[in-house]
Amino acid sequence: MTLPAVSPSLVQERKGLIESAVMGHSGVVNSRFEAEGRRRLKLLQKCNADPGARAVVLAMARLDPVAFLNDWVWLYEPRNPGRGLPARLPLTLRPRQADFVRWLQDLRKRRRNGLVEKSRDEGMTWIVIGYYVWCWLFESGFSGGLGSRKLDLVDKGGDLDTLFEKARFIIRQLPAWMKPQGFNEQKHSKEALLTNPVNHATIKGEGGDNIGRGGRSSMYFVDEHAKVPRADQVHAALSQNTDVIVYGSTPHGRANLFARIANQMTPGDPWPKFTFNWRDNPDKNYTLEIPALKGQGTEIVFPWYLFEKSKAVDVALFEQEVDISYDAETKNQVILGAWVIAARSLRLTPTQPIAAGLDVSDSGTDLTVYASHAGPVVKRVKQLVVSEAPQEAHELAVADAVGVLQYDRNGVGAAIAATVARRTDLTYTVRGVFNGGKPSEQVYEDSQTPADLRFANFAAECWWRLRLRLQRTWERVEQGVPHPDDACLSLADLPPGEELNALMTELSQPTYHRVGTSDKITVNKKGEGGKSPNFAEALMYAFAPPPPVEPAPPPTTGADVLNTLRAFRNRVT
């Protein structure tokens, strides 16, 4: 069926209505800030003139960080003059932002680590810095740590994009009677260090690999944590030096510690997680009814969202930073991370067939991994000691009652698999998978093209089959599509730990693209700069179908050999 063409005039009408709604709402926001500025001026004048009022306000600020932030913290936003707003703005906590302050307080009370995933421009960093200043003012001995991927983002004199200049800006806006007695910025504010001379509270900062190296802290916040290099090493240092770690960031793909924690792919109890989504922001989530783009009638849209997306040069980056997408940045993923998470939550009944896969180390950094499944249920993933891999793989295959153990027959795994295959006590078949071989002729549900005309090699087909299983799993869990059990995949039976974490991370690593004039799909198992996904590849072998049967060569006769020799002689003489 051919859809009707979209009218250019309708597109322009919609665009105009959206822009008008955004501009109109900016005026509402501006009026609100002006009213708040007048309220604060009156409060300051009253406190300056009345010592009794000042004492009450100080007591309220000391008792409640939300009251302190709402009455005394100002922000600096250099983009605002172009939006018709002043660059210096009063912080007025939205309900979700007030919840965040309480959440930080609760983390400290319970001595728990926490993670903050956010849409961009939701105020997380300013609120954390404001909360730190509150602790610095009113909590004797407080030591707050601030970190980012490099020191220039933590502190750089005069740069209000840095964490410490934000803290200094907040302190400078405070009335003199609220600042610590005797506080002198030149004396008590050094590079990446703020000291309260009255109660000896400090705020200190570090960057990159030095995060967590500067001594103990009451609390430590790392900004844009998803971009911190060597984050596991940094986390190990922080874990020894503070009871409360808070990692905040917009997503930056899945191949980092932040994504693993956010998606519960690390050992131990899940971290408390706070999400700042633009949909919770009343300055962004207002709606508008406009003519529908296709068909009759109208539709309800979010003007702010559509307006900002229309300006985005990189839509994937916009989805990552605004929609909190962990997958948007990585283009052409074979398997999306959300699909893997759905597989972790879906519990199914083990069935036949029972099969295993073996991925053998081919370098010093690679691992040898065994994986098995019973029908749609993944039963085991285990890293093996290379020197003992033949015996370990055999024992696991027997314990799992597998019918077949599959491996890459052209890789270094051939030697280990051959050692297993030579055993006289085998209760299963050992079968080689030729990654570079010809795909099957099967037609999958997402295309009408047979696999041999669609994929560059058999490995690409095997990865795609795994992709389809996990996609169906997500559709069943999240959308209620009634896919049968044996068409899905369950990771629910696997115990939590490093091996499960590695598998879930690696499944989202491979990417695909099309090559050659045939435009066939090829898979890059290492993705964007990753290492060999040994856990995921072992599972891929476990689910691989029997390789296509190659036609047998015609029998060779003596006459065939003689004719071949004569032809060769004729060519060279």
PDB file of all heavy atoms in Angstrom, residues 235-257:
ATOM      1  N   HIS A 235      37.552   3.033  40.689  1.00  0.00           N
ATOM      2  CA  HIS A 235      36.557   2.552  41.647  1.00  0.00           C
ATOM      3  C   HIS A 235      37.229   1.783  42.788  1.00  0.00           C
ATOM      4  O   HIS A 235      36.817   1.913  43.953  1.00  0.00           O
ATOM      5  CB  HIS A 235      35.537   1.668  40.944  1.00  0.00           C
ATOM      6  CG  HIS A 235      34.471   1.152  41.846  1.00  0.00           C
ATOM      7  ND1 HIS A 235      33.480   1.952  42.359  1.00  0.00           N
ATOM      8  CD2 HIS A 235      34.265  -0.083  42.381  1.00  0.00           C
ATOM      9  CE1 HIS A 235      32.690   1.234  43.144  1.00  0.00           C
ATOM     10  NE2 HIS A 235      33.142  -0.001  43.178  1.00  0.00           N
ATOM     11  N   ALA A 236      38.241   0.998  42.455  1.00  0.00           N
ATOM     12  CA  ALA A 236      38.945   0.248  43.501  1.00  0.00           C
ATOM     13  C   ALA A 236      39.567   1.195  44.520  1.00  0.00           C
ATOM     14  O   ALA A 236      39.528   0.945  45.740  1.00  0.00           O
ATOM     15  CB  ALA A 236      40.014  -0.641  42.876  1.00  0.00           C
ATOM     16  N   ALA A 237      40.129   2.314  44.047  1.00  0.00           N
ATOM     17  CA  ALA A 237      40.728   3.286  44.966  1.00  0.00           C
ATOM     18  C   ALA A 237      39.659   3.979  45.805  1.00  0.00           C
ATOM     19  O   ALA A 237      39.817   4.147  47.020  1.00  0.00           O
ATOM     20  CB  ALA A 237      41.533   4.320  44.171  1.00  0.00           C
ATOM     21  N   LEU A 238      38.554   4.376  45.171  1.00  0.00           N
ATOM     22  CA  LEU A 238      37.491   5.072  45.900  1.00  0.00           C
ATOM     23  C   LEU A 238      36.861   4.174  46.965  1.00  0.00           C
ATOM     24  O   LEU A 238      36.512   4.638  48.047  1.00  0.00           O
ATOM     25  CB  LEU A 238      36.405   5.525  44.929  1.00  0.00           C
ATOM     26  CG  LEU A 238      36.630   6.839  44.184  1.00  0.00           C
ATOM     27  CD1 LEU A 238      35.488   7.091  43.219  1.00  0.00           C
ATOM     28  CD2 LEU A 238      36.763   7.998  45.156  1.00  0.00           C
ATOM     29  N   SER A 239      36.714   2.909  46.650  1.00  0.00           N
ATOM     30  CA  SER A 239      36.045   1.990  47.584  1.00  0.00           C
ATOM     31  C   SER A 239      36.771   1.887  48.912  1.00  0.00           C
ATOM     32  O   SER A 239      36.163   1.550  49.932  1.00  0.00           O
ATOM     33  CB  SER A 239      35.934   0.602  46.944  1.00  0.00           C
ATOM     34  OG  SER A 239      35.135   0.650  45.791  1.00  0.00           O
ATOM     35  N   GLN A 240      38.058   2.186  48.905  1.00  0.00           N
ATOM     36  CA  GLN A 240      38.840   2.111  50.137  1.00  0.00           C
ATOM     37  C   GLN A 240      38.814   3.409  50.933  1.00  0.00           C
ATOM     38  O   GLN A 240      39.250   3.426  52.087  1.00  0.00           O
ATOM     39  CB  GLN A 240      40.294   1.757  49.796  1.00  0.00           C
ATOM     40  CG  GLN A 240      40.466   0.433  49.076  1.00  0.00           C
ATOM     41  CD  GLN A 240      39.934  -0.736  49.870  1.00  0.00           C
ATOM     42  OE1 GLN A 240      40.214  -0.875  51.058  1.00  0.00           O
ATOM     43  NE2 GLN A 240      39.128  -1.583  49.228  1.00  0.00           N
ATOM     44  N   ASN A 241      38.305   4.487  50.312  1.00  0.00           N
ATOM     45  CA  ASN A 241      38.479   5.801  50.923  1.00  0.00           C
ATOM     46  C   ASN A 241      37.188   6.527  51.288  1.00  0.00           C
ATOM     47  O   ASN A 241      37.237   7.618  51.848  1.00  0.00           O
ATOM     48  CB  ASN A 241      39.308   6.699  49.983  1.00  0.00           C
ATOM     49  CG  ASN A 241      40.748   6.234  49.900  1.00  0.00           C
ATOM     50  OD1 ASN A 241      41.299   5.719  50.866  1.00  0.00           O
ATOM     51  ND2 ASN A 241      41.362   6.392  48.739  1.00  0.00           N
ATOM     52  N   THR A 242      36.032   5.955  50.978  1.00  0.00           N
ATOM     53  CA  THR A 242      34.786   6.616  51.329  1.00  0.00           C
ATOM     54  C   THR A 242      33.671   5.594  51.473  1.00  0.00           C
ATOM     55  O   THR A 242      33.706   4.534  50.848  1.00  0.00           O
ATOM     56  CB  THR A 242      34.386   7.672  50.269  1.00  0.00           C
ATOM     57  OG1 THR A 242      33.211   8.350  50.686  1.00  0.00           O
ATOM     58  CG2 THR A 242      34.149   7.040  48.911  1.00  0.00           C
ATOM     59  N   ASP A 243      32.699   5.922  52.301  1.00  0.00           N
ATOM     60  CA  ASP A 243      31.542   5.046  52.478  1.00  0.00           C
ATOM     61  C   ASP A 243      30.450   5.310  51.455  1.00  0.00           C
ATOM     62  O   ASP A 243      29.557   4.484  51.269  1.00  0.00           O
ATOM     63  CB  ASP A 243      30.944   5.245  53.878  1.00  0.00           C
ATOM     64  CG  ASP A 243      31.815   4.649  54.964  1.00  0.00           C
ATOM     65  OD1 ASP A 243      32.582   3.711  54.668  1.00  0.00           O
ATOM     66  OD2 ASP A 243      31.736   5.127  56.105  1.00  0.00           O
ATOM     67  N   VAL A 244      30.499   6.476  50.807  1.00  0.00           N
ATOM     68  CA  VAL A 244      29.425   6.862  49.887  1.00  0.00           C
ATOM     69  C   VAL A 244      30.036   7.360  48.583  1.00  0.00           C
ATOM     70  O   VAL A 244      30.668   8.417  48.545  1.00  0.00           O
ATOM     71  CB  VAL A 244      28.526   7.961  50.494  1.00  0.00           C
ATOM     72  CG1 VAL A 244      27.388   8.309  49.528  1.00  0.00           C
ATOM     73  CG2 VAL A 244      27.975   7.529  51.838  1.00  0.00           C
ATOM     74  N   ILE A 245      29.859   6.596  47.525  1.00  0.00           N
ATOM     75  CA  ILE A 245      30.294   6.985  46.186  1.00  0.00           C
ATOM     76  C   ILE A 245      29.045   7.299  45.368  1.00  0.00           C
ATOM     77  O   ILE A 245      28.077   6.532  45.385  1.00  0.00           O
ATOM     78  CB  ILE A 245      31.071   5.850  45.496  1.00  0.00           C
ATOM     79  CG1 ILE A 245      32.313   5.458  46.297  1.00  0.00           C
ATOM     80  CG2 ILE A 245      31.462   6.243  44.076  1.00  0.00           C
ATOM     81  CD1 ILE A 245      32.973   4.177  45.804  1.00  0.00           C
ATOM     82  N   VAL A 246      29.076   8.404  44.643  1.00  0.00           N
ATOM     83  CA  VAL A 246      27.981   8.744  43.741  1.00  0.00           C
ATOM     84  C   VAL A 246      28.572   8.978  42.355  1.00  0.00           C
ATOM     85  O   VAL A 246      29.420   9.851  42.172  1.00  0.00           O
ATOM     86  CB  VAL A 246      27.212  10.000  44.202  1.00  0.00           C
ATOM     87  CG1 VAL A 246      26.090  10.322  43.212  1.00  0.00           C
ATOM     88  CG2 VAL A 246      26.635   9.789  45.594  1.00  0.00           C
ATOM     89  N   TYR A 247      28.140   8.167  41.407  1.00  0.00           N
ATOM     90  CA  TYR A 247      28.556   8.333  40.018  1.00  0.00           C
ATOM     91  C   TYR A 247      27.395   8.948  39.248  1.00  0.00           C
ATOM     92  O   TYR A 247      26.281   8.411  39.241  1.00  0.00           O
ATOM     93  CB  TYR A 247      28.918   6.998  39.387  1.00  0.00           C
ATOM     94  CG  TYR A 247      30.160   6.337  39.947  1.00  0.00           C
ATOM     95  CD1 TYR A 247      30.290   4.952  39.966  1.00  0.00           C
ATOM     96  CD2 TYR A 247      31.210   7.096  40.455  1.00  0.00           C
ATOM     97  CE1 TYR A 247      31.429   4.341  40.462  1.00  0.00           C
ATOM     98  CE2 TYR A 247      32.347   6.499  40.963  1.00  0.00           C
ATOM     99  CZ  TYR A 247      32.455   5.114  40.970  1.00  0.00           C
ATOM    100  OH  TYR A 247      33.581   4.528  41.475  1.00  0.00           O
ATOM    101  N   GLY A 248      27.639  10.067  38.574  1.00  0.00           N
ATOM    102  CA  GLY A 248      26.604  10.715  37.777  1.00  0.00           C
ATOM    103  C   GLY A 248      27.055  10.869  36.343  1.00  0.00           C
ATOM    104  O   GLY A 248      28.216  11.183  36.087  1.00  0.00           O
ATOM    105  N   SER A 249      26.136  10.655  35.390  1.00  0.00           N
ATOM    106  CA  SER A 249      26.542  10.771  33.994  1.00  0.00           C
ATOM    107  C   SER A 249      25.344  10.643  33.065  1.00  0.00           C
ATOM    108  O   SER A 249      24.311  10.061  33.424  1.00  0.00           O
ATOM    109  CB  SER A 249      27.548   9.672  33.653  1.00  0.00           C
ATOM    110  OG  SER A 249      28.159   9.893  32.394  1.00  0.00           O
ATOM    111  N   THR A 250      25.492  11.187  31.863  1.00  0.00           N
ATOM    112  CA  THR A 250      24.676  10.740  30.743  1.00  0.00           C
ATOM    113  C   THR A 250      25.334   9.460  30.228  1.00  0.00           C
ATOM    114  O   THR A 250      26.520   9.239  30.438  1.00  0.00           O
ATOM    115  CB  THR A 250      24.653  11.792  29.621  1.00  0.00           C
ATOM    116  OG1 THR A 250      26.000  12.162  29.294  1.00  0.00           O
ATOM    117  CG2 THR A 250      23.904  13.031  30.047  1.00  0.00           C
ATOM    118  N   PRO A 251      24.594   8.582  29.574  1.00  0.00           N
ATOM    119  CA  PRO A 251      25.199   7.346  29.068  1.00  0.00           C
ATOM    120  C   PRO A 251      26.262   7.623  28.012  1.00  0.00           C
ATOM    121  O   PRO A 251      26.267   8.671  27.352  1.00  0.00           O
ATOM    122  CB  PRO A 251      24.011   6.587  28.460  1.00  0.00           C
ATOM    123  CG  PRO A 251      22.803   7.155  29.132  1.00  0.00           C
ATOM    124  CD  PRO A 251      23.124   8.596  29.363  1.00  0.00           C
ATOM    125  N   HIS A 252      27.159   6.669  27.869  1.00  0.00           N
ATOM    126  CA  HIS A 252      28.219   6.743  26.849  1.00  0.00           C
ATOM    127  C   HIS A 252      28.472   5.329  26.339  1.00  0.00           C
ATOM    128  O   HIS A 252      29.555   4.779  26.472  1.00  0.00           O
ATOM    129  CB  HIS A 252      29.482   7.356  27.461  1.00  0.00           C
ATOM    130  CG  HIS A 252      30.547   7.679  26.452  1.00  0.00           C
ATOM    131  ND1 HIS A 252      30.346   8.543  25.417  1.00  0.00           N
ATOM    132  CD2 HIS A 252      31.829   7.248  26.326  1.00  0.00           C
ATOM    133  CE1 HIS A 252      31.465   8.643  24.697  1.00  0.00           C
ATOM    134  NE2 HIS A 252      32.357   7.854  25.222  1.00  0.00           N
ATOM    135  N   GLY A 253      27.407   4.705  25.799  1.00  0.00           N
ATOM    136  CA  GLY A 253      27.518   3.318  25.372  1.00  0.00           C
ATOM    137  C   GLY A 253      27.425   2.368  26.561  1.00  0.00           C
ATOM    138  O   GLY A 253      27.104   2.765  27.684  1.00  0.00           O
ATOM    139  N   ARG A 254      27.740   1.110  26.301  1.00  0.00           N
ATOM    140  CA  ARG A 254      27.634   0.081  27.340  1.00  0.00           C
ATOM    141  C   ARG A 254      28.977  -0.480  27.773  1.00  0.00           C
ATOM    142  O   ARG A 254      29.037  -1.241  28.736  1.00  0.00           O
ATOM    143  CB  ARG A 254      26.745  -1.065  26.845  1.00  0.00           C
ATOM    144  CG  ARG A 254      25.287  -0.657  26.742  1.00  0.00           C
ATOM    145  CD  ARG A 254      24.392  -1.819  26.395  1.00  0.00           C
ATOM    146  NE  ARG A 254      23.000  -1.381  26.340  1.00  0.00           N
ATOM    147  CZ  ARG A 254      22.169  -1.404  27.370  1.00  0.00           C
ATOM    148  NH1 ARG A 254      22.565  -1.857  28.534  1.00  0.00           N
ATOM    149  NH2 ARG A 254      20.923  -0.994  27.244  1.00  0.00           N
ATOM    150  N   ALA A 255      30.027  -0.146  27.063  1.00  0.00           N
ATOM    151  CA  ALA A 255      31.329  -0.735  27.378  1.00  0.00           C
ATOM    152  C   ALA A 255      32.061   0.082  28.439  1.00  0.00           C
ATOM    153  O   ALA A 255      33.176   0.561  28.246  1.00  0.00           O
ATOM    154  CB  ALA A 255      32.178  -0.847  26.115  1.00  0.00           C
ATOM    155  N   ASN A 256      31.417   0.290  29.589  1.00  0.00           N
ATOM    156  CA  ASN A 256      32.052   1.039  30.676  1.00  0.00           C
ATOM    157  C   ASN A 256      31.395   0.647  31.991  1.00  0.00           C
ATOM    158  O   ASN A 256      30.294   0.077  32.022  1.00  0.00           O
ATOM    159  CB  ASN A 256      31.946   2.556  30.432  1.00  0.00           C
ATOM    160  CG  ASN A 256      30.520   3.023  30.198  1.00  0.00           C
ATOM    161  OD1 ASN A 256      29.706   3.044  31.110  1.00  0.00           O
ATOM    162  ND2 ASN A 256      30.202   3.388  28.955  1.00  0.00           N
ATOM    163  N   LEU A 257      32.083   0.972  33.094  1.00  0.00           N
ATOM    164  CA  LEU A 257      31.604   0.597  34.425  1.00  0.00           C
ATOM    165  C   LEU A 257      30.267   1.252  34.749  1.00  0.00           C
ATOM    166  O   LEU A 257      29.401   0.636  35.375  1.00  0.00           O
ATOM    167  CB  LEU A 257      32.656   0.978  35.473  1.00  0.00           C
ATOM    168  CG  LEU A 257      32.300   0.681  36.937  1.00  0.00           C
ATOM    169  CD1 LEU A 257      32.079  -0.812  37.150  1.00  0.00           C
ATOM    170  CD2 LEU A 257      33.399   1.201  37.874  1.00  0.00           C
TER     171      LEU A 257
END
